[in-house]
Amino acid sequence: MKQWILGFFLLVVGGSASAKEKGELLSDWIPVSPTYSTPIDFSFPESESVELFESFLYFQNHLYFQTKNKDKQSSIYAYNLETTKFQIKPWEKGKVLGWTECKGNFLVQTKRKLYEVNPQTWEIKKEWDLQTKSSSWKDIVCSDGLLLRLDKEDLEVFDLESMEEKPKIPLPMKSVQRIVKLSEKEILLISSFSGNTIQLFSVLDKRTTKEWKFPTNHRALFKMTQISPNRFLVFDPLTKIYGEWLLFDDHFFPMSGLSKRSDGKAVRFSPIENTLQYQLELTASSDLPETIYHVILPKKDTYAQELREETFYSPSVFSLDETGNRTITLTIPSMKEGESKSIPIYSGKLTRYKIHWQLDPNLIVNREESESKFPNELRDDWFVKLEDPIVVGKREELFQGKTSLREILFETAKYVSSIPYKSGKFESAPKVIEKNNGGCTEHSYVTMSLLRGIGIPARLVWNYLPTESSSEMNFNHKYVEVWVNGFGWIPMEPLAPPKSKPGVTHARHLVFSVLPTPVHPKISGGDRLVQLTKEQLPYGKKVKMKLTILKKEKGETGEDEENDLPVLKNNRFILSGEEMVVP
């Protein structure tokens, strides 16, 4: 027995090394922790409330809110984000209509005056006769010796020393509702119109330099601020949305469940945890001798999914190839005509993520290196037809001699995602390009054909495209993975959000296998996850088989299994390797 364990260990090491060379074992994923803990049940003392359009003020781990009680009397509360304690601040100068931090002090605007306030004592250090035209809230910002005040389509501008009014700055975005200071020379323009738009505005150049979409409730935008160069805090007592967001690759990501690859090239976020259970139903239509089945299991660890606490049907044979594809082979005793069996094959704790890769714009296509590493993923075949004039013409039209890998992938993703979806007939890439429609398989063929033809390795992914409300998972979808040197295999998903961005998908697929061709080496007869071994295919007419993959939410338990069902056994050795028998 000791010799057997040692032998298996050597296979594990060998399998892992090969998988790592192929890019299957990626860099470590490091959890990104928020700066502050999220409140479970936040409320103001004395049943105070806040107004929708009024902004809080963030300074030195504190949030300052203007509140009102049922008698419409205003108060200023300081909330300590670290201790979660409140402190009321002395303020008797009337309703606040805007405020900002400026050189370590606060500037507080009322209807008729602007006050400079000590943030510790709230004593007034200085005041100016600076009026506003209305009694509505208007954000103010201290920026490079200027006071900026939002006024409809413009910024009102005042000299901080003299409070002399200067010419207004016209805003490039309509319906700006908030301004937030980002640096001494840059501010954020925020509008909940047109999809929660945020623009980075240069006060010096008077123009927008970047634009983002902030993926949260539009009301929560009024309670958002920057707390560090790439971190933003949403703290909204009205919508009950609290949390931090990371700015990565010019996109905002929720910090809850966020992790970053150790080399900083990708983030994954918004995880969903489930218990996965494979159940095989067999019914003999006539007397059936002993039968042997291959069952495809999900890949264990990828950039967007993890499996833990796995159990396997006993007895069975487990196998793993160099690209991380996993199968188990199980032998079922003979069955009489009409006899049925319900067999629990596998279970595991599944975590799926949304994924976003930040592609290096300096990477170029290296056909020679790719051909030496991935000949199978560059090979011509009936479904790609790399030299077909239609494919070559489309390649020339899209790429126009480009060598930047990032640009080529973006052009490919943009084009393939534009092909209308229509359930197809698994036609080859040139036919799909010509007719300009097709299913997920055909979209994949086009992607592979375009990229393989210029030396970018591409492979087919068998997966489940989720319907999260469903209690079952099944093999219902395909997309493509491409090899990027220094990154590994990244997704090209043209049919699930956000569609046209290489290396980005929010679908939380469940991946079963990755293949250089549409054919799985252990499955005959088309797209499926279970099949009799090739030698036993003639028995297929004597047995009806159905594989059900149950998805249960974290903490949900199933019904008790019957005592006469086969036993699932834990085995800590099944991490990687070749042909291992589960005793």
Side-chain angles (χ1 to χ4, degrees), residues 158-189:
F158 303 89
D159 183 273
L160 268 176
E161 291 298 324
S162 64
M163 284 300 157
E164 177 188 353
E165 187 169 4
K166 294 180 173 294
K168 292 183 179 181
I169 299 176
L171 294 176
M173 179 169 63
K174 292 183 178 180
S175 304
V176 175
Q177 297 162 294
R178 284 213 57 206
I179 57 174
V180 174
K181 182 178 179 179
L182 194 68
S183 68
E184 281 300 316
K185 299 184 184 298
E186 294 178 314
I187 63 173
L188 299 178
L189 309 178

Side-chain angles (χ1 to χ4, degrees), residues 69-323:
N69 59 22
K70 59 183 180 180
D71 297 322
K72 298 185 178 180
Q73 295 177 328
S74 297
S75 300
I76 304 296
Y77 277 96
Y79 176 72
N80 190 316
L81 289 161
E82 294 181 331
T83 66
T84 69
K85 303 295 184 183
F86 283 102
Q87 184 181 14
I88 194 167
K89 294 297 181 180
W91 182 252
E92 298 178 352
K93 297 299 181 179
K95 184 179 179 181
V96 176
L97 299 178
W99 49 16
T100 187
E101 182 274 331
C102 187
K103 299 179 180 179
N105 293 310
F106 293 164
L107 297 181
V108 181
Q109 176 75 68
T110 63
K111 175 67 175 175
R112 300 187 182 279
K113 288 184 178 289
L114 179 76
Y115 297 93
E116 184 178 37
V117 177
N118 183 310
Q120 277 71 43
T121 64
W122 272 72
E123 295 178 352
I124 295 173
K125 300 177 66 175
K126 193 174 180 179
E127 63 182 71
W128 298 268
D129 292 325
L130 186 66
Q131 299 185 21
T132 66
K133 298 176 183 178
S134 72
S135 298
S136 301
W137 183 277
K138 292 183 178 181
D139 278 342
I140 61 176
V141 162
C142 166
S143 172
D144 199 23
L146 301 174
L147 178 70
L148 308 177
R149 186 168 66 190
L150 181 62
D151 181 34
K152 296 182 179 179
E153 309 299 326
D154 302 296
L155 290 177
E156 295 179 304
V157 183
F158 303 89
D159 183 273
L160 268 176
E161 291 298 324
S162 64
M163 284 300 157
E164 177 188 353
E165 187 169 4
K166 294 180 173 294
K168 292 183 179 181
I169 299 176
L171 294 176
M173 179 169 63
K174 292 183 178 180
S175 304
V176 175
Q177 297 162 294
R178 284 213 57 206
I179 57 174
V180 174
K181 182 178 179 179
L182 194 68
S183 68
E184 281 300 316
K185 299 184 184 298
E186 294 178 314
I187 63 173
L188 299 178
L189 309 178
I190 300 173
S191 175
S192 63
F193 296 91
S194 303
N196 290 7
T197 301
I198 299 180
Q199 290 188 356
L200 179 61
F201 183 76
S202 169
V203 178
L204 181 63
D205 298 330
K206 299 179 178 57
R207 66 182 182 90
T208 295
T209 57
K210 286 185 179 180
E211 182 175 296
W212 307 290
K213 301 293 183 180
F214 199 100
T216 190
N217 181 286
H218 68 282
R219 291 172 173 260
L221 279 181
F222 298 107
K223 303 296 187 290
M224 184 273 285
T225 194
Q226 182 196 32
I227 59 176
S228 70
N230 64 346
R231 293 193 183 206
F232 293 77
L233 174 68
V234 173
F235 200 102
D236 184 16
L238 296 176
T239 60
K240 305 298 181 184
I241 295 175
Y242 310 100
E244 293 178 31
W245 297 75
L246 179 74
L247 182 60
F248 173 84
D249 193 28
D250 280 340
H251 291 77
F252 289 97
F253 300 94
M255 296 283 284
S256 177
L258 181 74
S259 54
K260 200 171 187 178
R261 216 173 81 148
S262 58
D263 58 10
K265 295 178 178 178
V267 294
R268 61 186 190 185
F269 58 103
S270 300
I272 287 182
E273 297 182 5
N274 304 108
T275 297
L276 205 63
Q277 296 180 344
Y278 272 47
Q279 195 83 9
L280 181 60
E281 311 288 339
L282 299 175
T283 301
S285 55
S286 60
D287 287 351
L288 190 68
E290 179 182 84
T291 45
I292 305 172
Y293 301 83
H294 292 313
V295 181
I296 297 175
L297 301 179
K299 294 192 69 178
K300 183 173 175 60
D301 288 335
T302 73
Y303 48 78
Q305 74 186 38
E306 290 181 345
L307 280 160
R308 299 290 182 268
E309 300 179 30
E310 297 184 283
T311 56
F312 300 79
Y313 173 78
S314 174
S316 61
V317 176
F318 174 90
S319 63
L320 174 78
D321 69 17
E322 62 181 1
T323 56

Side-chain angles (χ1 to χ4, degrees), residues 412-457:
T412 302
K414 181 180 178 181
Y415 164 65
V416 178
S417 64
S418 74
I419 298 175
Y421 179 86
K422 182 179 180 180
S423 184
K425 304 176 181 178
F426 305 113
E427 292 175 308
S428 65
K431 182 65 176 178
V432 179
I433 294 171
E434 188 176 43
K435 69 176 185 176
N436 194 39
N437 65 60
C440 61
T441 302
E442 291 164 309
H443 281 76
S444 299
Y445 290 170
V446 173
T447 301
M448 297 167 76
S449 181
L450 293 173
L451 297 179
R452 284 188 181 186
I454 59 169
I456 299 176

